[in-house]
Amino acid sequence: MLHESVIVAEIYNALRDWSAVRKKVLEDNSFQTRTLSTLKKRYGEVSRRLQRLSDFEIELLAENNALYTKQLVWLSICRHYSLIKDFALEVIIPQYESARFLIALEDFDAFYNRKAEWHQNLDGASKLTKGKVRQVLFLMLKECNLIDNNNEIQYQQLDERLEHVISENSTEDLCLFPGVS
C-alpha cells in the first residue's frame, strides 16, 4: 500500500492529528475504494504502520520521492510487525552479508517454524494462515524493493537525509536495509 501510505502521510503533514486524518480520508474516499468497509480497513492498516514513524519520517514519505518512499514504508512495516522485523534481521540481512542473495520460500518456512517453537500463537496457526503470511510478506518485500522478482535480495542505498532521519530515531533500524550498517 505504497500509494495509500503517501496519501495518508500528505494528509497527516497538513493536519498533524490522526483523528482528523481518519475523518478526512473517509469523507473524501482518499483511496478511491468501492466500499466504505474496504476504505476503513485499508486506512486502519496504513495508519497503524505510519504511526510508528516519526513526524520527520512522515514528512519525507509525503514527499513521495522515489529514492526513499519504499524504504520508509518498509521501515514502518518492520516497526509495526515484529515478525517481519525479525525475518529481516534474522534471515535477510545475514544472507545478504554472507553473499547468499536468494531468499527461498523455505527460508521463511524454517524461520516461521523456529519462531513457532517459542510463540504459541504462531504454532497454532493453520497451514492456510502460514501460507498467507508468507505470500503477503514476499509481496511486501517485492513492492518495497527489498527483493526482486526472482526473490534475490537488493542492496539498499539510503539517501543521506533519510539515513540521518532514521538514525535520529533509532540507529538499530538502519540494520533493516541490506547493505546499510
Side-chain angles (χ1 to χ4, degrees):
M1 289 190 262
L2 296 168
H3 179 70
E4 292 88 343
S5 296
V6 171
I7 290 170
V8 172
E10 290 170 348
I11 296 170
Y12 178 79
N13 273 342
L15 303 175
R16 299 288 177 165
D17 174 14
W18 286 108
S19 297
V21 171
R22 182 180 191 280
K23 183 178 178 187
K24 179 152 182 60
V25 167
L26 297 181
E27 284 176 357
D28 296 350
N29 189 11
S30 299
F31 302 163
Q32 300 300 303
T33 62
R34 288 186 301 147
T35 66
L36 181 60
S37 63
T38 299
L39 179 60
K40 286 180 179 179
K41 183 177 178 180
R42 286 187 184 170
Y43 171 75
E45 183 62 34
V46 169
S47 68
R48 283 189 297 276
R49 293 176 190 174
L50 295 190
Q51 288 179 43
R52 303 295 183 139
L53 298 178
S54 71
D55 284 350
F56 293 123
E57 290 164 341
I58 292 174
E59 286 175 19
L60 287 179
L61 181 57
E63 290 178 11
N64 197 16
N65 184 314
L67 288 176
Y68 43 75
T69 296
K70 293 176 181 184
Q71 293 166 331
L72 282 163
V73 170
W74 173 247
L75 178 63
S76 70
I77 289 168
C78 288
R79 285 182 183 165
H80 185 65
Y81 298 105
S82 60
L83 184 70
I84 293 174
K85 181 177 185 175
D86 289 350
F87 184 74
L89 295 174
E90 296 172 24
V91 178
I92 295 172
I93 301 305
Q95 283 194 208
Y96 180 85
E97 290 174 348
S98 65
R100 292 179 299 136
F101 301 116
L102 181 67
I103 296 290
L105 300 178
E106 294 78 16
D107 293 322
F108 175 79
D109 294 339
F111 164 80
Y112 188 96
N113 291 336
R114 283 192 311 273
K115 290 293 182 183
E117 291 178 13
W118 297 97
H119 301 281
Q120 192 172 15
N121 60 327
L122 296 178
D123 191 37
S126 71
K127 210 173 197 175
L128 183 64
T129 299
K130 291 176 194 176
K132 185 68 173 172
V133 168
R134 181 176 69 185
Q135 177 187 10
V136 170
L137 172 60
F138 275 76
L139 180 62
M140 288 176 176
L141 289 168
K142 286 175 184 167
E143 287 181 358
C144 292
N145 286 343
L146 271 286
I147 61 173
D148 65 14
N149 288 330
N150 297 318
N151 294 347
E152 291 193 15
I153 303 168
Q154 300 299 296
Y155 169 76
Q156 301 293 302
Q157 183 170 354
L158 297 183
D159 175 84
E160 198 174 297
R161 270 177 66 201
L162 178 60
E163 188 170 344
H164 176 73
V165 168
I166 292 173
S167 64
E168 278 185 345
N169 194 32
S170 169
T171 55
E172 282 181 7
D173 288 340
L174 295 174
C175 296
L176 297 168
F177 301 96
V180 178
S181 52

